[in-house]
Amino acid sequence: MSSYIIRRILLGLLTLLLITFFVYGLLRLMPGDPLLVRLEMMDPGKHMLPEDITRMREMYGLNDPWYISYFKWLGKLLHGDLGESFTQHAAVAHVIRERIGATLLLTLSSLIISYLLAIPLGLYATARNGRWDERTISVLLYMLYSLPSFVAALALQVLFAVQLHGTAFELPLFGMTGDHFNQMSFGGKFLDLFKHAVLPVACFTYGTLAYYSRFILANMQEVIRQDYIRTARAKGVGYWRILFHHAFRNTMIPLVTLIGLELPALLSGSIILEQIFGWPGMGKLFFESIRMRDYPTLMGLILMFSVLTLVGQLLADICYAFVDPRVSYE
Amino acid sequence: MPPVLEVTDLRTYFHTDEGVIRAVDDLTFRLEPGRTLGIVGESGSGKSVTSLSIMRLLSSNAKVETGRIAFLGKDLVKLPEREMQSIRGRDISMIFQEPMTSLNPVFTVGAQIMEAIILHQKVSKAEARQKAIDLMREVGIPKPEQRVDSYPHQMSGGQKQRVMIAMALSCNPQVLIADEPTTALDVTIQAQILEILRKLRDNRGMAIIFITHDLGVIAEIADDVLVMYRGEEVEYAPVLEIFSNPKHPYTKGLLACRPRLESKYRRLPTVDDFMQTVKEGTGFRVIEKKMDAARLHHLETAGRGRLLHPKTELAAIGHPWEEGYHAPDAKTVAEGTQPLLAVKNLEVHFPVRRGILARTVDHIRAVDNISFNVYPGQTLGLVGESGCGKTTTGRAILRLIEPTGGQVLYRGTNVAALSGSELRAMRGKMQIVFQDPYGSLNPRMTIEAAITEPMVIQGVGANKNERRDRAASLLKEVGLTPNYLRRYPHEFSGGQRQRVCIARALAAGPEFIICDESVSSLDVSVQAQVLNLLKELQDKRGLTYIFISHALSVVKFMADMMAVMNNGKIVEFGPSESIYKNPQEAYTRKLINATPKDDLELIRKRVAERAAVTK
């Protein structure tokens, strides 16, 4: 196992090098550069001297060809330095650290809720297969799965922030915290955060929930047709035990892979939802950085997502060996 | 003695979109304690559905329409599911055909045996574990204290089937239903499993329902035999009666169509020689046919006798030609004939990789330095148990697997060294028919597309119409009708598909065909037809075959020369009849002894022994 993990990590490092190299090239070849983008936004009455522009280009390292800049970036990275954000005038690591909490609050709660609901829903639907309640659940899940999250987000905003305005069910329209958050007591802070998070978390969750339950249902239906389920029945094992003990344990094998692939999504957040709800998370940061051609921040984010993707896959493969005794990496 | 199980007028029907299928129709039989009832029939005869009806494990579209299944006087058909659950595994247990898939892959075998024990007996976990270990020892699993914690994938097929038996026996059931329990296993393992079942039955006084398509196995284990055909009983009698004096034409056909080790036939009789089935209303009627002298003569004399290696070569491999020793119609290849195929020191090694850099630390020697010749018009048989390397040998000859060493000389050209276009041209001469006719035809291609594709690749036929005409005549040649050309594989039975596969192999006009277990998944009566077809094609087209099979009797029927393989090596090579009559190697003898025998003397002896035991 350990030699397998070491091999995978070495391969992963090589993959990272290639990803960052190509992404850096693509970013730099995008039309526009940070200075021009900012000039466009500046007061047109104010003039910038050509010398200033040259000086700033030099300062940002934009005069070098992109591959030279890449290796400079890589050199700094090896010293643990992600560079400085062009727009926020702070270290990239610092910028990311500021946003990470907001996104985790959203994604982690959504992940936990969807698993907690999807497993019982999937099992229940398997047990009731073909009956009216399973059909209803399945159709509902299918509808949820096909509903775009931005539509749901806008509809929920209209309902809870506008229609229910002034009632006990009112929820804030956007943002992560209300005014005067800093003066609130601990309980107050929690309640405020909770109220702000309800709608984004709900929008974040329902699609995954639908996907997971359908995934579990489909896998369970596959598993209960297997020969070893018939063997268990022939032993005299009861229906529920067959479902929970014999069948679900086998369904967990593909489920574990799914969790591993979920890891990068935990930190990437959602560009659209964070934008709609004004949620100060990673998705929003990513979007803003692209608009501003903030290369160091973008590279920091991409590096993080790539690392997480690779780690997630490795974790999934390792977990695989734990839930499936047939898999070993010797 | 009162029966432990009595089935009366059982009808189990499947309700499908195409209508009602009468899987079991009006079946009646009884099972006494300590006795073994063999149920025999071909696929679709309803024998497995019968057992699933008894266990009430039918799929949701099947239903027991009428009839009574009385277990110690209790009608299982009417029992509530809860009570049925406590009967399953405790009073009636079952073992299945596929040991590979019948155990849950994520639990240890010990846990799975213990589950059955704990379900039906009031014992602690530690006691259950001890019982599981004892049971595993009883069914012949070595080191049961360690194996109890093994997962199914860490065991061989034979061991898994032993685990299944241990599980089924765990609560000392009164009835054991064994549904084709040895079909997926090698003959030597099959012999061991049959021995275990016989011993357990005698020690525990258990009654067994043994379901199989193999009459040889029936002869080895059954006291009474129920022959089923299309859901109905056609004959039900004591085992000696069935084998010595079969009454129903179907039973006669089944008994005759198996290639037996001592058979003298050159062509096999088929069930069609004994009977004809005609539709009558919703059912069918069987008309008996008499096998006339002309037909019998044809079966014994059609085609050629054995064609052995040249005499000098026979002497060199230790089987010198002796006048009077071989069958009178046996001939040898003329001296100086060049072999069509010469395999020299063929090796296929698969690397075993370990460590961070995945360095090759060892090799699995699937085919380990084997050599043999095949002469034009001959059939060479490759026989051995699973994992012996026979299939890898066949594929390495065609370069479907790259050989890692040695030469394959086809008319003097080394196939192993050919480049892409030369190899493609060579494949027109060398073809293969695989084991599984379901998996080896593309379900999205019509029969015409499947048969004409090799013609297109090999440049046979000037245009589409010409190729279609050729495909049509090929279908006729393999015993199908040309109007099948536009159909898809799923519309055909296994035997018909295998005929299509043969037609496809013939499409490019090959001289040499490898038949890799080509009849192993077919019913015996269909197997006889396909074997006859292969022999006829060989006579007509002058084909040369390598015939690969795990079944010694089939190889002996087909092959002139036989190579017995074990662990990647050829352990014995010679004329098939000599090897059968006078095996030199212990391994060959083991294979021959393990093949189920059904000569009447043996059955008589067994019946007499059984009578002594039960008294």
Side-chain angles (χ1 to χ4, degrees):
Chain A
M1 183 80 132
S2 56
S3 76
Y4 171 80
I5 294 174
I6 293 170
R7 198 167 75 229
R8 281 286 299 267
I9 289 174
L10 291 177
L11 274 174
L13 287 176
L14 184 72
T15 317
L16 272 183
L17 211 61
L18 289 173
I19 294 176
T20 48
F21 182 73
F22 284 115
V23 170
Y24 195 86
L26 285 174
L27 283 180
R28 284 288 300 270
L29 295 175
M30 252 192 329
D33 74 21
L35 291 175
L36 295 177
V37 174
R38 280 173 70 197
L39 282 175
E40 282 159 16
M41 295 183 189
M42 267 192 287
D43 184 357
K46 235 174 159 185
H47 278 287
M48 226 174 165
L49 294 171
E51 299 92 274
D52 285 340
I53 295 179
T54 321
R55 191 173 46 78
M56 285 180 76
R57 289 185 73 87
E58 189 64 43
M59 197 176 80
Y60 285 158
L62 295 173
N63 286 332
D64 298 326
W66 65 268
Y67 43 90
I68 300 289
S69 308
Y70 171 76
F71 285 108
K72 283 187 177 165
W73 175 81
L74 193 65
K76 275 204 217 161
L77 180 68
L78 292 178
H79 291 94
D81 182 6
L82 279 172
E84 191 142 316
S85 163
F86 286 171
T87 46
Q88 315 220 4
H89 305 290
V92 168
H94 178 77
V95 174
I96 292 178
R97 211 176 306 131
E98 268 190 337
R99 299 291 191 100
I100 217 163
T103 287
L104 274 179
L105 177 69
L106 213 62
T107 51
L108 264 185
S109 27
S110 148
L111 184 78
I112 293 168
I113 293 170
S114 46
Y115 266 94
L116 282 183
L117 290 178
I119 292 174
L121 257 177
L123 289 179
Y124 182 77
T126 313
R128 305 284 302 172
N129 189 20
R131 283 175 224 180
W132 67 270
D133 42 355
E134 182 266 334
R135 295 314 314 159
T136 318
I137 292 173
S138 289
V139 169
L140 274 176
L141 288 177
Y142 201 72
M143 281 162 60
L144 281 182
Y145 183 59
S146 5
L147 181 68
S149 62
F150 60 89
V151 174
L154 293 174
L156 287 175
Q157 277 183 331
V158 169
L159 178 64
F160 284 97
V162 182
Q163 307 266 328
L164 295 174
H165 185 77
T167 69
F169 297 107
E170 184 195 348
L171 289 172
L173 193 58
F174 46 70
M176 192 165 91
T177 50
D179 308 332
H180 324 299
F181 182 73
N182 287 328
Q183 284 104 52
M184 290 181 195
S185 64
F186 179 76
K189 275 182 179 168
F190 182 82
L191 189 69
D192 185 54
L193 214 51
F194 177 79
K195 277 190 166 173
H196 280 85
V198 169
L199 292 186
V201 167
C203 291
F204 225 88
T205 308
Y206 75 83
T208 356
L209 169 68
Y211 179 70
Y212 286 161
S213 347
R214 291 183 59 79
F215 183 83
I216 292 170
L217 175 62
N219 272 288
M220 285 292 279
Q221 281 173 339
E222 173 73 28
V223 169
I224 52 173
R225 276 201 299 268
Q226 298 296 313
D227 285 353
Y228 51 80
I229 297 298
R230 190 185 56 189
T231 306
R233 289 179 66 200
K235 275 198 279 198
V237 181
Y239 185 70
W240 291 100
R241 186 171 158 82
I242 284 184
L243 217 56
F244 287 121
H245 188 67
H246 288 266
F248 184 58
R249 187 63 175 57
N250 279 282
T251 306
M252 271 175 60
I253 296 168
L255 205 59
V256 156
T257 326
L258 215 60
I259 300 179
L261 300 179
E262 192 68 12
L263 200 65
L266 273 184
L267 284 190
S268 65
S270 156
I271 293 176
I272 294 173
L273 284 179
E274 287 183 8
Q275 202 67 32
I276 293 177
F277 287 105
W279 194 265
M282 304 283 271
K284 220 169 159 224
L285 177 64
F286 198 55
F287 183 63
E288 284 160 7
S289 305
I290 292 178
R291 237 165 27 106
M292 301 306 289
R293 307 288 187 276
D294 188 347
Y295 303 139
T297 310
L298 280 173
M299 286 307 288
L301 287 170
I302 283 159
L303 180 69
M304 193 181 74
F305 297 152
S306 324
V307 170
L308 281 174
T309 307
L310 295 171
V311 169
Q313 277 169 359
L314 181 59
L315 274 181
D317 285 346
I318 293 171
C319 291
Y320 213 55
F322 278 105
V323 291
D324 189 345
R326 284 165 297 185
V327 176
S328 83
Y329 301 115
E330 290 312 320
Chain B
M1 224 185 287
V4 56
L5 192 74
E6 192 167 18
V7 171
T8 325
D9 304 330
L10 177 69
R11 284 167 205 244
T12 306
Y13 292 176
F14 281 82
H15 299 268
T16 69
D17 295 339
E18 281 96 55
V20 176
I21 296 167
R22 302 170 174 209
V24 177
D25 210 3
D26 209 8
L27 196 68
T28 299
F29 63 83
R30 52 189 270 148
L31 184 66
E32 282 162 18
R35 306 264 306 167
T36 303
L37 171 72
I39 301 184
V40 68
E42 306 196 332
S43 44
S45 64
K47 54 192 196 304
S48 285
V49 178
T50 306
S51 65
L52 293 175
S53 304
I54 297 171
M55 292 295 278
R56 294 242 317 252
L57 290 177
L58 291 164
S59 57
S60 55
N61 62 342
K63 197 171 161 262
V64 174
E65 305 286 328
T66 60
R68 215 175 112 80
I69 301 171
F71 171 73
L72 297 174
K74 219 184 299 177
D75 188 2
L76 298 185
V77 178
K78 298 206 173 71
L79 219 56
E81 176 60 24
R82 260 208 112 66
E83 275 179 60
M84 192 61 217
Q85 237 174 56
S86 63
I87 285 183
R88 280 188 211 123
R90 189 187 68 193
D91 301 316
I92 309 178
S93 353
M94 188 159 176
I95 45 181
F96 299 95
Q97 173 170 2
E98 273 299 331
M100 298 298 170
T101 55
S102 292
L103 288 167
N104 197 326
V106 300
F107 300 116
T108 62
V109 294
Q112 297 186 53
I113 301 175
M114 283 160 65
E115 184 180 30
I117 299 172
I118 292 170
L119 266 173
H120 299 295
Q121 296 169 38
K122 283 209 168 80
V123 290
S124 71
K125 236 180 148 181
E127 285 170 304
R129 187 182 160 87
Q130 190 50 50
K131 269 193 100 144
I133 293 172
D134 294 342
L135 280 161
M136 286 171 76
R137 188 175 297 118
E138 196 179 350
V139 296
I141 294 173
K143 295 191 196 155
E145 294 84 1
Q146 287 156 39
R147 298 305 263 166
V148 72
D149 294 318
S150 297
Y151 285 95
H153 73 277
Q154 294 163 327
M155 298 187 132
S156 67
Q159 281 179 325
K160 279 186 227 183
Q161 198 59 295
R162 282 166 215 251
V163 169
M164 286 294 293
I165 295 175
M167 197 151 77
L169 296 178
S170 59
C171 299
N172 225 343
Q174 309 191 44
V175 178
L176 175 70
I177 303 177
D179 186 358
E180 303 259 12
T182 59
T183 306
L185 304 175
D186 283 323
V187 274
T188 52
I189 311 294
Q190 164 169 293
Q192 293 167 13
I193 298 282
L194 290 178
E195 187 54 38
I196 290 169
L197 286 176
R198 273 193 293 258
K199 231 172 30 193
L200 291 168
R201 172 194 65 192
D202 297 342
N203 294 347
R204 294 169 176 241
M206 190 169 68
I208 298 181
I209 297 181
F210 197 102
I211 295 168
T212 179
H213 67 282
D214 186 347
L215 275 163
V217 175
I218 286 286
E220 295 254 344
I221 197 158
D223 299 312
D224 303 294
V225 181
L226 171 66
V227 184
M228 287 185 76
Y229 179 67
R230 297 200 184 175
E232 293 181 15
E233 168 206 312
V234 294
E235 194 159 356
Y236 181 27
V239 62
L240 190 59
E241 192 66 22
I242 291 277
F243 281 87
S244 62
N245 185 21
K247 299 240 164 28
H248 194 275
Y250 180 69
T251 318
K252 291 179 193 168
L254 270 191
L255 280 168
C257 69
R258 292 173 317 131
R260 293 158 69 179
L261 279 170
E262 62 283 356
S263 168
K264 291 272 181 290
Y265 291 129
R266 283 193 194 164
R267 298 281 189 271
L268 289 168
T270 61
V271 170
D272 297 340
D273 286 323
F274 295 87
M275 61 181 245
Q276 195 188 345
T277 317
V278 284
K279 262 200 180 149
E280 209 176 59
T282 53
F284 63 92
R285 190 162 58 90
V286 169
I287 302 171
E288 178 154 12
K289 287 203 285 192
K290 276 275 171 276
M291 172 91 95
D292 54 10
R295 174 70 181 157
L296 211 59
H297 183 72
H298 170 79
L299 294 176
E300 282 168 359
T301 58
R304 60 169 176 79
R306 308 268 174 184
L307 182 62
L308 307 183
H309 274 24
K311 284 178 184 159
T312 46
E313 203 173 332
L314 282 179
I317 58 171
H319 288 275
W321 176 269
E322 292 165 45
E323 293 301 331
Y325 175 76
H326 297 281
D329 55 358
K331 289 192 176 59
T332 57
V333 174
E335 292 296 329
T337 310
Q338 284 304 305
L340 183 75
L341 182 82
V343 173
K344 291 197 160 82
N345 308 104
L346 185 69
E347 278 179 6
V348 182
H349 291 185
F350 296 112
V352 178
R353 295 180 202 278
R354 287 270 157 74
I356 294 170
L357 299 172
R359 255 195 305 252
T360 305
V361 291
D362 200 1
H363 286 97
I364 291 169
R365 298 171 211 283
V367 176
D368 198 8
N369 192 16
I370 67 169
S371 306
F372 56 80
N373 289 333
V374 190
Y375 289 90
Q378 263 190 328
T379 300
L380 175 97
L382 276 184
V383 68
E385 298 188 283
S386 47
C388 74
K390 54 189 192 300
T391 290
T392 314
T393 304
R395 295 192 179 178
I397 290 172
L398 297 181
R399 275 183 69 191
L400 295 175
I401 295 174
E402 287 296 323
T404 42
Q407 290 184 311
V408 176
L409 299 173
Y410 187 84
R411 290 193 186 280
T413 313
N414 187 7
V415 179
L418 290 182
S419 67
S421 59
E422 294 165 325
L423 182 64
R424 187 176 307 155
M426 186 60 95
R427 291 225 167 104
K429 304 261 170 245
M430 309 166 82
Q431 282 293 315
I432 184 163
V433 178
F434 295 101
Q435 167 169 10
D436 178 10
Y438 291 87
S440 55
L441 282 173
N442 188 333
R444 305 260 183 279
M445 275 166 90
T446 59
I447 302 304
E448 180 182 339
I451 298 179
T452 53
E453 191 181 34
M455 297 187 202
V456 175
I457 294 166
Q458 296 295 341
V460 176
N463 54 43
K464 217 173 161 195
N465 285 336
E466 207 180 311
R467 285 192 286 269
R468 182 183 298 139
D469 290 344
R470 276 172 187 271
S473 73
L474 278 170
L475 279 186
K476 268 192 258 172
E477 203 176 336
V478 298
L480 300 173
T481 56
N483 61 1
Y484 288 171
L485 278 179
R486 308 187 66 171
R487 299 208 192 157
Y488 286 90
H490 71 265
E491 300 173 58
F492 297 99
S493 69
Q496 287 173 322
R497 283 183 210 213
Q498 202 58 304
R499 285 172 194 266
V500 172
C501 291
I502 293 172
R504 179 176 61 181
L506 292 174
E511 307 166 302
F512 169 71
I513 296 179
I514 294 181
C515 303
D516 186 1
E517 299 269 16
S518 306
V519 297
S520 305
S521 57
L522 305 176
D523 278 325
V524 269
S525 63
V526 182
Q527 172 181 303
Q529 293 166 5
V530 175
L531 290 177
N532 286 346
L533 172 67
L534 285 171
K535 282 202 159 190
E536 272 151 33
L537 290 171
Q538 181 170 47
D539 286 345
K540 214 167 92 192
R541 293 176 163 247
L543 296 171
T544 306
Y545 291 141
I546 286 187
F547 190 89
I548 301 172
S549 177
H550 67 285
L552 195 80
S553 54
V554 178
V555 173
K556 197 201 145 236
F557 173 74
M558 286 299 288
D560 302 301
M561 301 290 288
M562 186 194 288
V564 182
M565 282 190 78
N566 190 24
N567 287 330
K569 292 194 168 67
I570 292 181
V571 293
E572 192 163 1
F573 184 74
S576 339
E577 303 221 276
S578 316
I579 288 192
Y580 169 63
K581 256 191 271 180
N582 188 15
Q584 298 299 311
E585 296 295 321
Y587 181 74
T588 316
R589 277 197 291 276
K590 203 171 100 182
L591 274 188
I592 294 175
N593 290 337
T595 307
K597 313 262 177 327
D598 61 355
D599 56 284
L600 290 172
E601 268 325 293
L602 277 175
I603 298 176
R604 237 174 237 130
K605 211 177 105 204
R606 225 172 262 129
V607 170
E609 279 170 12
R610 289 278 292 146
V613 169
T614 38
K615 263 173 206 161

